[in-house]
């Protein structure tokens, strides 16, 4: 693995689109993540609802605002098979607005308990988003549908391709409902480049990490920092650029190995991987 690029080698321009998703350094407390991003010259941060709630919504919003960081996304809403999905997602929209997050990432949820009706589950996702869209629009928050790799369809996300996400998003104003292009979940799809072109202004977020094998038990933590796996990350970045996306590029990694490292070291390695393999 290449040694992390020193901060002296970076410039504000080279990191202009870089955003550090706080899940990448899961054990780094929010104030330290924010301070680390400021020290590294990182302009944006992706937040998660659980650590924000732990620190306090108002305190989190003030912390990030006072540091001059842009909140590039809030993760996550969705899980529409849960009984309390409506109330929970309305709360998530309010939290995104309070944090100044322009995008609320939606992970749609898997099959309802005991169900085998994946088509019906996808229809429920579309119906739920239709119910939430007016609330999101009023709050100035875009709902960003994230497709997950098909291995997660049963228990985590029945929306398994970018095409399926767009089939729903295209029913709405692109300023209100968009899609997430997450390299980990879409790289394998032979239609992904055509779907990225189709998405155009509906691309609400672009997230990068890498894919490594063998996948760990449970598969959720099979991600790696950019450049440590097999994904053509720059090709994906060039495709979203060609589709008209000019927004932030979040590095988002779920990995026990990465989480065991000091947060500042992870941030430096994320920046190095981004500059070498994505930007």
């Amino acid at each position: 693995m290449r040694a992390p690029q020193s901060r002296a080698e970076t410039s504000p321009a080279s990191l202009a689109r870089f955003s550090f998703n706080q899940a990448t350094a899961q054990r780094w407390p929010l104030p330290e993540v924010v301070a680390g991003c400021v020290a590294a010259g990182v302009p944006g941060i992706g937040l998660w609802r659980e650590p924000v709630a732990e620190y306090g919504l108002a305190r989190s919003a003030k912390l990030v605002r006072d540091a001059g960081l842009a909140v590039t996304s809030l993760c996550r809403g969705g899980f529409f098979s849960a009984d309390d999905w409506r109330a929970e997602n309305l709360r998530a929209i309010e939290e995104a607005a309070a944090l100044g997050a322009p995008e609320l990432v939606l992970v749609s949820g898997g099959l309802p308990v005991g169900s085998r009706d994946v088509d019906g589950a996808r229809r429920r996702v579309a119906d739920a988003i239709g119910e939430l869209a007016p609330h999101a629009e009023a709050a100035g928050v875009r709902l960003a549908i994230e497709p997950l790799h098909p291995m997660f369809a049963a228990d985590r996300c029945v929306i398994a391709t970018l095409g399926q996400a767009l089939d729903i998003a295209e029913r709405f104003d692109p300023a209100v409902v968009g899609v997430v292009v997450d390299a980990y979940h879409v790289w394998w799809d032979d239609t992904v480049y055509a779907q990225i072109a189709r998405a155009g202004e509906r691309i609400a977020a672009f997230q990068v990490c890498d894919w490594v094998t063998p996948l760990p038990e449970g598969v959720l933590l099979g991600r790696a920092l950019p450049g440590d796996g097999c994904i053509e990350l720059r090709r994906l970045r060039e495709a979203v650029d060609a589709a008209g996306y000019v927004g932030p590029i979040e590095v988002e990694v779920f990995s026990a190995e990465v989480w065991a490292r000091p947060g500042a070291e992870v941030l430096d390695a994320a920046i190095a991987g981004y500059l070498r393999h994505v930007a």
Side-chain angles (χ1 to χ4, degrees), residues 46-268:
L47 297 177
W48 279 68
R49 295 180 65 204
E50 293 82 0
V52 164
E54 182 179 345
Y55 190 71
L57 178 61
R59 289 179 72 204
S60 298
K62 184 177 188 302
L63 176 71
V64 175
R65 182 175 62 249
D66 289 352
L69 293 178
V71 179
T72 53
S73 71
L74 179 65
C75 199
R76 62 197 172 193
F79 287 91
F80 299 117
S81 57
D83 291 339
D84 62 346
W85 70 265
R86 187 179 188 278
E88 191 60 31
N89 279 275
L90 291 177
R91 279 193 292 272
I93 290 169
E94 292 174 358
E95 291 165 14
L99 292 164
E103 323 291 348
L104 174 64
V105 176
L106 301 181
V107 175
S108 67
L111 293 169
V113 175
S115 173
R116 293 180 174 85
D117 183 6
V118 68
D119 294 331
R122 290 181 180 134
R123 287 193 295 270
R124 282 191 292 276
V125 171
D127 291 344
I129 291 172
E131 188 167 341
L132 294 173
H135 300 278
E137 183 175 16
V141 173
R142 179 157 54 168
L143 303 175
I145 307 169
E146 181 173 13
L148 266 59
H149 190 282
M151 64 184 171
F152 296 111
D155 64 342
R156 193 167 292 270
C157 188
V158 293
I159 305 302
T161 67
L162 188 56
Q164 290 170 359
L166 285 167
D167 288 345
I168 296 173
E170 285 173 348
R171 306 177 192 185
F172 305 94
D173 184 329
V176 180
V177 179
V179 296
V180 180
V181 179
D182 184 324
Y184 185 77
H185 295 301
V186 304
W187 72 273
W188 58 275
D189 186 350
D190 64 347
T191 73
V192 69
Y193 293 101
Q195 295 299 335
I196 287 172
R198 170 189 170 192
E201 64 181 335
R202 294 185 184 278
I203 300 175
F206 177 44
Q207 297 178 329
V208 296
C209 66
D210 226 323
W211 179 288
V212 291
T213 54
L215 292 173
E217 184 178 357
V219 304
L220 184 63
L221 306 186
R223 301 188 183 207
L225 291 162
D228 289 349
C230 62
I231 301 178
E232 292 182 290
L233 293 171
R234 183 169 288 109
R235 183 183 177 193
L236 284 169
R237 194 268 300 159
E238 289 170 347
V240 298
D241 286 359
Y245 180 74
V246 296
I249 301 172
E250 288 188 10
V251 173
E252 182 190 59
V253 177
F254 305 149
S255 163
E257 180 181 344
V258 171
W259 290 343
R261 298 165 63 181
E265 180 183 305
V266 172
L267 176 58
D268 282 348

Side-chain angles (χ1 to χ4, degrees), residues 1-26:
M1 185 189 305
R2 180 182 184 269
Q5 186 161 340
S6 74
R7 290 175 188 170
E9 296 176 77
T10 64
S11 67
S14 65
L15 292 179
R17 296 177 69 186
F18 180 87
S19 176
F20 187 67
N21 189 290
Q22 71 175 133
T24 305
Q26 190 186 61

